[in-house]
Amino acid sequence: SVRDGLGAYIAKPETYGPDVVVYHNEDFVAIHDMFPKSSLHLLLLPRDQTKTRIHPFDAFEDAEFLAKVKAETRTLRKLAAGELRRKYGKDSAQEQARQAALSADPPPNELPQGRDWEEDIVVGVHAVPSMNHLHVHVLSVDRYSERLKHRKHYNSFSTPFFVPIEDFPLAEDDVRRYPTEEGYLKRDFTCWRCGRGFGNRFAELKQHLEQEFKEWKKL
Ligand code: 5GP
Ligand code: ZN
């Protein structure tokens, strides 16, 4: 089934090029999402055979396993932040200020801080995954991608349907354990950056996301 499509990466990561598999080790495979919903969208696949077929909410009940996954997502978040810096760093206002200070004569005693791109990466799982193998999304916050084509694509990353890895372990009575899937995915659109509402006007949201993307990367 197409829902088993992530299994091949876990089984034979070494058969893929670096454009597909970012890295792999004994316990994890990090890949590029084939249908990215942001300008950078990676997936972390744990290889533990006892966990890979289990719903993330259940798999993360194992404290030792959760700690391991969290540690690996910190590594991947750093890597992703480095990728954003390479892609957009030269455009960013902070980086330009830093470069200007560096080339000043004489240079100032204290250089302006560079931008912390790790703050622009979100990490988490979907309450109702569509793919069977356990995976954690690691993506830039922009939600800017031509693959973001459907309402549910936006809302699955922009409502409580998306559960940040930092929120695990979930409390027993956490409402996100019992997702009214339809409810979250059919919600009115809210811009991730400015909070503006777009009702159910998807085309308008998409245009706005492009504007926000341009400003976000230059911040
Ligand atoms: P889910 O909704 O299950 O949390 O997300 C599954 C993710 O896997 C989606 O973002 C989707 O784009 C991605 N995906 C689906 N099939 C494939 C595939 O064959 N290869 C890769 N690399 N990603 C896939
Ligand atoms: Zn906005």
Side-chain angles (χ1 to χ4, degrees), residues 156-169:
S156 74
F157 288 101
S158 312
T159 67
F161 191 81
F162 185 79
V163 185
I165 191 78
E166 307 90 71
D167 291 5
F168 289 95

Side-chain angles (χ1 to χ4, degrees), residues 154 190-198 205 208-209 211-212 215:
Y154 183 77
T190 304
C191 173
W192 65 272
R193 191 155 181 256
C194 70
R196 210 170 117 190
F198 287 86
L205 171 74
H208 182 73
L209 288 175
Q211 289 309 310
E212 291 286 31
E215 286 172 36

Side-chain angles (χ1 to χ4, degrees), residues 116-128:
D116 182 5
W117 289 95
E118 282 191 47
E119 288 173 5
D120 292 300
I121 305 284
V122 290
V123 178
V125 298
H126 282 150
V128 185

Side-chain angles (χ1 to χ4, degrees), residues 47-81:
R47 304 180 81 178
D48 186 333
Q49 287 299 323
T50 70
K51 295 291 192 290
T52 187
R53 288 284 181 170
I54 295 178
H55 188 283
F57 291 3
D58 299 321
F60 295 159
E61 292 289 306
D62 178 338
E64 200 180 316
F65 178 70
L66 175 60
K68 219 168 160 180
V69 171
K70 280 186 171 178
E72 195 73 18
T73 62
R74 285 193 285 275
T75 303
L76 191 51
R77 187 195 287 268
K78 281 203 179 71
L79 191 149

